[in-house]
Amino acid sequence: MTTTSNNALVEEFRRMDADGDGVVDRTDFLRAPRRLLTALGIPEDSPKAQALIRANETQWGSLLSLGDVDGDEVLTADEYVTIRTSPEFRSPNRPGKGEVCQTLFAVLDSDDDGTISQDEFLRAADFLCMPPNEASGYFTTLDADNDGQLSDKEFLKAVKRFYTS
């Protein structure tokens, strides 16, 4: 990855470091999905919410197994960048790969119609660390068939593009 990409990862890390202590722990990591659920008014004990939390917990465990060098159950910025730029992170065999995306799709599909409208997508802008105006333009770009909805495939492409740009 380029230095620009690494800088984006460091910025992503800083947004996750909720208490500003220079490391991301499990609480920091699970803050974003919990904030999203709260913003959407979805109770944490609902099936969709539980699936999203479990997927993020799996993702957290995967990140730790890939690069928590000192075994302290927290990630430094250097550890995080190393993990996110590693071939193992991109491996299709990584535990939980795609689970966060699938469960996020289900949470955002508030009317359970199998698609995400622009309004539903904009609710995830903060979770995806995007300003709303940027997210709106991004939605239009991702809506490949111009039907005003994102299918699960279009959404997966969006998340992949976001995490590899």
Side-chain angles (χ1 to χ4, degrees):
M1 278 192 149
T2 65
T3 302
T4 302
S5 295
N6 287 352
N7 289 342
L9 291 173
V10 169
E11 186 56 36
E12 183 178 304
F13 175 87
R14 285 188 185 131
R15 284 191 300 268
M16 284 190 292
D17 181 13
D19 56 11
D21 64 356
V23 297
V24 170
D25 61 17
R26 182 180 177 276
T27 301
D28 288 331
F29 192 77
L30 294 177
R31 181 181 61 94
R34 287 194 162 113
R35 247 187 30 233
L36 177 66
L37 293 169
T38 299
L40 297 176
I42 299 173
E44 242 185 81
D45 61 353
S46 74
K48 282 184 177 184
Q50 286 296 299
L52 181 64
I53 297 294
R54 275 193 311 274
N56 276 275
E57 287 174 337
T58 298
Q59 177 87 328
W60 175 246
S62 179
L63 292 173
L64 288 177
S65 71
L66 289 174
D68 180 17
V69 178
D70 54 10
D72 61 357
E73 307 245 333
V74 300
L75 297 176
T76 64
D78 287 342
E79 287 173 330
Y80 185 72
V81 169
T82 299
I83 292 164
R84 286 291 312 282
T85 56
S86 72
E88 294 84 5
F89 180 81
R90 298 198 189 306
S91 168
N93 300 322
R94 178 173 50 88
K97 178 120 179 160
E99 258 184 273
V100 171
C101 184
Q102 292 165 354
T103 57
L104 178 59
F105 184 89
V107 163
L108 293 177
D109 182 13
S110 61
D111 58 6
D112 295 320
D113 69 352
T115 64
I116 296 176
S117 69
Q118 186 168 8
D119 287 341
E120 289 170 329
F121 182 78
L122 291 178
R123 293 183 199 177
D126 187 49
F127 182 80
L128 297 172
C129 303
M130 300 174 95
N133 61 334
E134 184 181 320
S136 183
Y138 196 49
F139 178 90
T140 302
T141 301
L142 297 171
D143 183 15
D145 58 7
N146 296 312
D147 67 352
Q149 307 287 327
L150 295 182
S151 67
D152 56 347
K153 289 181 178 128
E154 288 170 322
F155 185 72
L156 178 60
K157 184 177 182 179
V159 174
K160 281 184 181 177
R161 188 182 302 168
F162 177 78
Y163 280 109
T164 58
S165 64

